[in-house]
Amino acid sequence: MPLPPPPRALAGPRRRTLLASAAGAALLVGCSHAPEESAGTGGSQSAAQRARARAARDSAGLVESYEAVLAVHPALAERLAPLRAEVVRHVEALGGTLAAGPAGTVPPTDSATPPADPSTAPSATPSAVSAAVAAVPTREKDALAGLAAAERALADRRTTALLDVPGELARLLASAAAAGAAHAYLLTEGTR
């Protein structure tokens, strides 16, 4: 006696449906993969390069702030040297460069990427250096608070920028932002 056919109301999709879906998905992935690669080298790549250059300039500006504080308060050199060195490493990791300028400043020399806003770019002119030094508070506690505020503001900007940059740069900015937040804490903790 032959077995009765299985009922048609089986739970779940049929094997043919699964195979057809898998083949269709493979075709879609294969078709959409090539345009994503070419798009990655187009507009978004230049946006990532601009974000990286801006982050390097921001770090170079922060190095200048450290230099200005050290010029006014040389007694803080031992405390600020490791923090300043970390910010210099951020500049280098982001692809920026530093060159010795007048009065010990270290402006960026990345001439391949001009600043988007010239007023925010660090300058190596003697008047800019003397203006930065003149802007440093005369009390050490206030100078440290100013550096902490600069570190915190830069960390916040970098955290906000994470959403607009690709993976590797986002990880680098997140790391630099975390370091900046730690620097802000270290700068303010010692003044309490």
Side-chain angles (χ1 to χ4, degrees):
M1 167 155 139
L3 294 172
R8 283 284 161 199
L10 293 175
R14 297 174 120 184
R15 187 182 330 174
R16 281 187 220 162
T17 306
L18 288 175
L19 291 173
S21 297
L27 285 174
L28 287 176
V29 169
C31 292
S32 65
H33 187 61
E36 286 178 358
E37 287 179 0
S38 64
T41 59
S44 66
Q45 182 66 16
S46 64
Q49 289 173 342
R50 285 191 307 271
R52 182 181 288 268
R54 183 175 44 254
R57 282 192 308 273
D58 289 345
S59 288
L62 191 55
V63 170
E64 284 187 349
S65 296
Y66 274 94
E67 291 289 325
V69 169
L70 288 169
V72 174
H73 302 288
L76 293 174
E78 184 177 334
R79 182 173 180 187
L80 297 181
L83 303 178
R84 181 194 168 280
E86 186 70 24
V87 176
V88 168
R89 282 191 291 274
H90 293 165
V91 173
E92 294 166 354
L94 290 162
T97 56
L98 299 171
T105 62
V106 284
T109 58
D110 184 9
S111 60
T113 309
D117 182 6
S119 66
T120 62
S123 174
T125 62
S127 61
V129 172
S130 60
V133 169
V136 174
T138 55
R139 291 182 47 209
E140 285 183 1
K141 183 177 181 177
D142 295 338
L144 291 174
L147 277 177
E151 286 273 16
R152 199 173 299 110
L154 184 53
D156 290 345
R157 282 196 310 270
R158 286 181 172 159
T159 302
T160 302
L162 292 177
L163 300 174
D164 300 327
V165 296
E168 188 61 34
L169 180 56
R171 284 186 285 278
L172 183 59
L173 289 179
S175 176
H183 291 179
Y185 173 78
L186 292 172
L187 288 166
T188 56
E189 187 61 26
T191 59
R192 291 182 183 179

